[in-house]
Amino acid sequence: MSEVELHRGQVQVYKPGSQHVVGDGFHVRNLFPSNDLDREVSPFLMLDYAGPTFYPATEIPRGVGEHPHRGFETVTIVYQGLVAHRDSAGHAGVIGPGDVQWMTAASGVVHEELHEKEWAARGGTLQAIQLWVNIPKASKMSAPRYQTIGDEQIPVVDLADGAGHLRVIAGTVEGKQGPANTITPIELYDLRLKAGHTVTLDLPAGYNRALFVLSGRIRVNGTAAGEAELAVIHSHSERGTIVLNGKEDAVVLVMAGEPIEEPIARYGPFVMNTKQELAQAVQDYQAGKMGHLS
Ligand code: MN
């Protein structure tokens, strides 16, 4: 094997880089940017892994109250529990296990993300991911958009030899197209891989690629990754093949996307290209230009 081939598909595994509570309802472990991952995972900006956390019954739903976003998308994937969302553009919805909410903040929205009221009144375990996806300069100031993607809308691809299955949230696998409309090319899969089995993922050339293991244990191109770990494939090869082995039954989020080669300026809930644009975002939010919750 040549040196080039040895470096092809090189995998680095990261543990959560920080943990905190978002509002009072999402106990999260952050995988990036807290691991100083930036260009390697573009167009993805942030991955927070919430739970699994048990929340006792309460009449006042926990969560995160009214706050803004501008310049990117928030993608919420629920595995356990129920999350209710409401925004200043008039969108509202509840998502549960298997559902995805793909919110394009773009020029700006104000929203709240709470445990669903009746679910909160019973209490239960919440497990979810929030992924922030960058959008290019040309789309940062376009109108907000909201996609609620129900479990039943997400096509399921059975893996060969009973290795498990894969749900296509975005992108295409074996001719099955995921329902999410994305601004730049993205592949996003909910993969369930069985112990002792292997799957080969053929991802488009030139995409950044990362895998987050929610539970179980896998090998990614030979490198071990376990619960709450992120495997980043550092590779500049033209080919995008990843070989996964299940060491234990595993739940894995597969993320791949065409990198957005633009400067990133971040400030809390705003992600723009320049500091000046961030200052403008703060000013616009304070002036009420991103709206309010009714
Ligand atoms: Mn938010």
Side-chain angles (χ1 to χ4, degrees), residues 22 64-65 67-69 74 85 103 111-113 130 132 269:
V22 181
V64 53
H67 63 279
H69 293 289
T74 66
H85 164 269
M103 189 192 78
H111 75 166
E112 65 178 18
E113 297 155 279
Q130 190 164 82
W132 288 10

Side-chain angles (χ1 to χ4, degrees), residues 160-188:
D161 304 321
H165 69 268
L166 176 158
R167 299 169 65 243
V168 188
I169 299 166
T172 307
V173 179
E174 292 179 10
K176 292 188 179 176
Q177 200 182 342
N181 278 311
T182 67
I183 292 173
T184 58
I186 285 170
E187 302 282 321
L188 188 65

Side-chain angles (χ1 to χ4, degrees), residues 235-247:
S235 158
H236 302 282
S237 78
E238 68 287 358
R239 285 176 28 219
T241 302
I242 307 173
V243 179
L244 303 180
N245 308 113
K247 292 302 179 192

